[in-house]
Amino acid sequence: MTRIRFREPSIIPGFRLTFGFTILYLFLIVIVPIVGLYMKTFELDWPSFWRILTGSRFQAALKLSFGASLLAALFNVVIGLLIAWVIVRYRFFARRLVDAIIDLPFALPTAVAGIALTALYVPQGWIGRLFSPYGITIAYTPLGIWIALVFIGLPFVVRTVQPVLEDFNAEVEEAAATLGASRLTTIVRVILPALLPAILTGFSLAFARAVGEYGSVIFIAGNIPRQTEILPLLIVFRLEERDYAAASAIAAIMLTVSFLILLLVNLIQSWSNRRFGNV
Amino acid sequence: MELGIRDVRKEFNQYPALHGVSLDIRPGELIALLGPSGSGKTTLLRLIAGLDFPTSGQILFGDEDASNKTVQERNVGFVFQHYALFRHMNVADNIGFGLKVRPGASRPAKAEIRRRASELLDLVQLSGLEKRYPAQLSGGQRQRVALARALAIEPKILLLDEPFGALDAQVRRELRRWLREIHDTTGHTTVFVTHDQEEALELADRVVVMSQGRIEQVGTADEVYDQPNSPFVYGFIGESSSLPVRVANGELWLADRAIGLGAQDVPDGDAILYFRPQEIELLDGCGGCIAGTVAASRRVAGSRRVELKIGGQREQVEIELPVGHPAAQQSRVAFRPRRYKVFPAKAT
């Protein structure tokens, strides 16, 4: 029988110290707050918890938050891939500048982004004006929320795919070409599958960020109950009412759903890593 | 498939990588492009494949001018040094890739592709590994899969770029013999690039020795080894020693002494004498010989290599003696090459 060992022998010293610190740190910074959140939720009795869960306002916000985040993250996967491709594969004037601009949504305070986006997309705004003749309103609708989430999620996919694409062996593409594959076939059947793990990572980062986003969304959302309210906003409302247990109940549900989605993405990823390994 | 290369030039940003190279390759031949790095051998191989296009000149596949055809149209099998396998596909899918991406009508049925893949796996002696992924194979196995993948498209010619360069010596020797067998079975016209002369001499029907974007010599292993036509080839293939000499009256002179060797029609003046360290005879007295003081002696495999300082000059040459030969213990050794070649000094 093989003995299951807690750690493999290693010649690198300092395991106890570094591992101990890691666990302590994670415990204090991540685990304790999350446990506290769930504990707070248990102050509610089941009927009131159930009332929050089935409340129409909560349900609408739940669907909007996760739906808009999912769509925004998916959209960012497509656009992010395209941008990463352009930055990595072509040499053009101001390539460095474009590369730097990608990070702006990271750097910009989200409230500033929210105000700027709102000003642009209201019916009188520079961009909103182009759409209002066709009866399309962007600001104060789910569409506006989606745009804000696309904005803040953009860098994630670009930054995760970019290094993998840079390392992609040109010989593999040439091999596909010598075997008769057209450019499109090569991209679809050879390059994209190789980028899949990075794409999944980018997707989950963009998605997680979008679900938790508050600052940029509340300005452009308009916050109409049951229509353009996002979950974080509901939490703020409950807090303002000093109903901390209800606030933490909403937060706990959000956390659980997010966790399950990210877990799923991670499982897909580790499956693909196991399969393809690292050649 | 006969392959013709006609006066092919290739420049990268004005920097010439190939200067007007011409070469004819006969159907079914196994050809080695041999040269140091930067000699243009890989460039030439990529031009044949269509992965790059010549600045001028023609590449003929049979009677057909392929110079402007795309790599997809040329239908060549190409094997890369670092395998370039598709790591998200298993072995069978890697091998079947070239058939699977064929347009509609010419694409074989799925079962046929599978059958073909396992047939090729048999050929490369990896039967039963269909479901493995490249990450689960050793380097040698990966290169076999890469070759099977290249053969699957029934290529007109097979091109290999340093196919064994990334493998260790043992696997290399094994794969070398095996490639020769595959070539004899399938009969593809094959061109491979290598910087390993042993590999080129052992494997190829003819060796193309290249240097600085030019072909120096084309010939069988015997020809390039025994009759090198330039100082470069003499120096690059096999062991060689060289010694500056002077030609006068149809004889070679070292300082003020004739060394008893004819000048091989090299005109009077400075010249360089090339010989193999093992192709020498030792002499007792020295009336027409090369004499030197022993500077060092090393054991190399089955023989002893002796470094000699020649005359008052700073020149050094190496000669090879049987192990235990008493001459290695002496302080002075006199010898004369049994076989040699003289090139005018300016040619180097």
Side-chain angles (χ1 to χ4, degrees):
Chain A
M1 201 180 88
T2 51
R3 202 158 58 95
I4 297 166
R5 246 185 312 208
F6 172 56
R7 79 169 162 135
E8 298 296 317
S10 164
I11 55 157
I12 308 166
F15 173 77
R16 269 169 230 278
L17 183 67
T18 51
F19 182 76
F21 179 78
T22 305
I23 293 300
L24 179 71
Y25 185 85
L26 285 178
F27 188 74
L28 288 178
I29 299 294
V30 183
I31 309 286
V32 167
I34 288 179
V35 170
L37 181 70
Y38 282 102
M39 298 287 281
K40 191 81 193 160
T41 310
F42 282 117
E43 286 178 8
L44 290 172
D45 50 5
W46 272 109
S48 29
F49 181 72
W50 189 250
R51 216 176 309 119
I52 293 170
L53 193 66
T54 52
S56 65
R57 210 167 154 189
F58 170 80
Q59 294 236 320
L62 183 77
K63 275 181 210 142
L64 180 64
S65 257
F66 282 98
S69 299
L70 205 65
L71 290 178
L74 285 174
F75 186 79
N76 272 328
V77 162
V78 178
I79 299 297
L81 255 180
L82 186 73
I83 293 175
W85 177 269
V86 169
I87 293 177
V88 172
R89 288 305 171 96
Y90 305 108
R91 291 292 168 268
F92 51 90
F93 178 72
R95 192 178 74 95
R96 291 258 157 234
L97 190 68
V98 172
D99 200 22
I101 287 174
I102 303 297
D103 285 331
L104 271 187
F106 270 152
L108 213 58
T110 51
V112 175
I115 292 166
L117 288 173
T118 312
L120 283 177
Y121 286 100
V122 290
Q124 306 80 32
W126 286 356
I127 299 176
R129 206 184 309 167
L130 303 176
F131 288 92
S132 51
Y134 306 101
I136 303 170
T137 38
I138 296 172
Y140 315 132
T141 68
L143 189 60
I145 297 175
W146 177 76
I147 285 175
L149 297 180
V150 164
F151 174 82
I152 51 119
L154 173 72
F156 293 97
V157 178
V158 179
R159 289 292 178 243
T160 49
V161 169
Q162 198 180 355
V164 182
L165 196 57
E166 262 160 12
D167 286 346
F168 192 81
N169 189 352
E171 281 188 353
V172 174
E173 281 170 69
E174 289 180 344
T178 61
L179 294 167
S182 67
R183 205 58 202 130
L184 185 68
T185 310
T186 306
I187 290 172
V188 173
R189 301 180 87 142
V190 175
I191 300 178
L192 281 186
L195 295 182
L196 190 66
I199 292 173
L200 285 174
T201 305
F203 169 82
S204 38
L205 288 174
F207 174 76
R209 173 71 201 269
V211 168
E213 180 57 19
Y214 178 74
S216 62
V217 176
I218 48 158
F219 291 100
I220 202 168
N223 309 328
I224 307 158
R226 293 183 193 82
Q227 285 180 32
T228 59
E229 267 180 349
I230 55 168
L231 280 177
L233 187 69
L234 280 192
I235 297 174
V236 172
F237 285 161
R238 292 296 94 80
L239 289 177
E240 282 169 354
E241 295 160 8
R242 297 184 182 275
D243 189 353
Y244 296 128
S248 53
I250 298 173
I253 295 164
M254 262 183 95
L255 195 64
T256 309
V257 175
S258 294
F259 178 75
L260 289 177
I261 292 174
L262 293 182
L263 185 68
L264 182 72
V265 173
N266 267 318
L267 285 177
I268 297 174
Q269 213 165 12
S270 75
W271 165 79
S272 86
N273 276 348
R274 252 203 321 279
R275 236 181 96 176
F276 309 141
N278 293 305
V279 184
Chain B
M1 169 72 66
E2 205 176 332
L3 183 65
I5 293 152
R6 301 266 179 282
D7 201 25
V8 163
R9 257 189 87 76
K10 175 68 183 173
E11 292 171 6
F12 292 108
N13 304 322
Q14 248 106 91
Y15 172 80
L18 283 176
H19 310 262
V21 164
S22 294
L23 180 65
D24 281 297
I25 296 170
R26 296 187 279 267
E29 218 176 359
L30 181 52
I31 290 274
L33 302 181
L34 174 66
S37 39
S39 59
K41 54 193 193 307
T42 296
T43 305
L44 182 56
L45 196 76
R46 291 174 60 86
L47 291 177
I48 297 172
L51 292 170
D52 274 316
F53 291 93
T55 311
S56 67
Q58 279 185 315
I59 289 161
L60 305 173
F61 281 21
D63 301 326
E64 207 180 348
D65 184 358
S67 313
N68 294 315
K69 284 191 168 182
T70 64
V71 54
Q72 286 93 349
E73 289 166 337
R74 287 194 203 189
N75 194 34
V76 296
F78 202 105
V79 175
F80 294 85
Q81 180 178 2
H82 299 288
Y83 331 121
L85 293 177
F86 308 128
R87 65 193 187 97
H88 60 281
M89 294 182 202
N90 65 26
V91 166
D93 288 339
N94 261 286
I95 297 174
F97 183 83
L99 299 174
K100 237 175 280 172
V101 298
R102 281 192 186 166
S106 60
R107 179 169 54 227
K110 267 199 180 127
E112 168 64 15
I113 294 177
R114 215 175 311 128
R115 196 188 59 74
R116 190 103 184 88
S118 76
E119 210 175 87
L120 282 161
L121 268 181
D122 288 345
L123 179 73
V124 299
Q125 298 161 8
L126 290 177
S127 322
L129 298 187
E130 281 92 341
K131 296 284 171 230
R132 294 276 191 92
Y133 283 87
Q136 300 166 309
L137 301 177
S138 71
Q141 290 175 323
R142 286 182 204 170
Q143 199 56 295
R144 289 171 192 235
V145 173
L147 184 72
R149 182 179 67 175
L151 289 173
I153 58 168
E154 283 150 17
K156 291 182 191 154
I157 46 172
L158 187 59
L159 306 170
L160 304 99
D161 186 8
E162 304 243 5
F164 313 130
L167 304 169
D168 60 58
Q170 187 82 36
V171 180
R172 235 165 137 135
R173 264 194 297 277
E174 201 179 295
L175 282 192
R176 209 186 282 166
R177 200 172 323 121
W178 165 84
L179 178 65
R180 181 78 230 185
E181 279 167 26
I182 298 249
H183 175 263
D184 293 344
T185 324
T186 59
H188 283 107
T189 308
T190 305
V191 182
F192 74 99
V193 159
T194 181
H195 63 259
D196 179 347
Q197 44 165 305
E198 198 186 314
E199 193 168 290
L201 296 179
E202 185 184 326
L203 198 51
D205 295 324
R206 285 195 300 158
V207 177
V208 177
V209 185
M210 298 185 68
S211 162
Q212 299 182 345
R214 291 194 172 81
I215 291 179
E216 292 278 341
Q217 187 170 1
V218 182
T220 62
D222 289 342
E223 284 164 3
V224 294
Y225 191 86
D226 292 334
Q227 294 136 37
N229 67 359
S230 71
F232 173 80
V233 178
Y234 219 122
F236 187 70
I237 299 201
E239 303 278 346
S240 69
S241 281
S242 64
L243 192 62
V245 291
R246 202 162 39 80
V247 177
N249 307 326
E251 259 197 297
L252 298 186
W253 295 70
L254 192 62
D256 53 357
R257 292 196 312 160
I259 53 176
L261 300 172
Q264 296 176 333
D265 299 329
V266 172
D268 285 6
D270 288 338
I272 295 184
L273 167 72
Y274 283 87
F275 60 92
R276 307 278 181 208
Q278 63 275 26
E279 292 180 337
I280 54 128
E281 52 187 339
L282 292 175
L283 302 171
D284 283 335
C286 194
C289 68
I290 305 170
T293 49
V294 175
S297 93
R298 291 175 277 124
R299 172 71 184 256
V300 177
S303 59
R304 190 168 291 282
R305 199 64 64 76
V306 178
E307 276 175 39
L308 296 178
K309 276 204 173 75
I310 301 298
Q313 308 171 28
R314 282 182 306 258
E315 302 303 333
Q316 284 207 347
V317 297
E318 281 193 349
I319 59 170
E320 212 170 283
L321 300 174
V323 177
H325 193 284
Q329 310 304 323
Q330 298 168 4
S331 59
R332 274 184 78 76
V333 173
F335 72 98
R336 184 191 295 148
R338 273 189 310 236
R339 214 151 48 154
Y340 64 97
K341 185 115 175 147
V342 189
F343 294 102
K346 62 180 176 300
T348 52

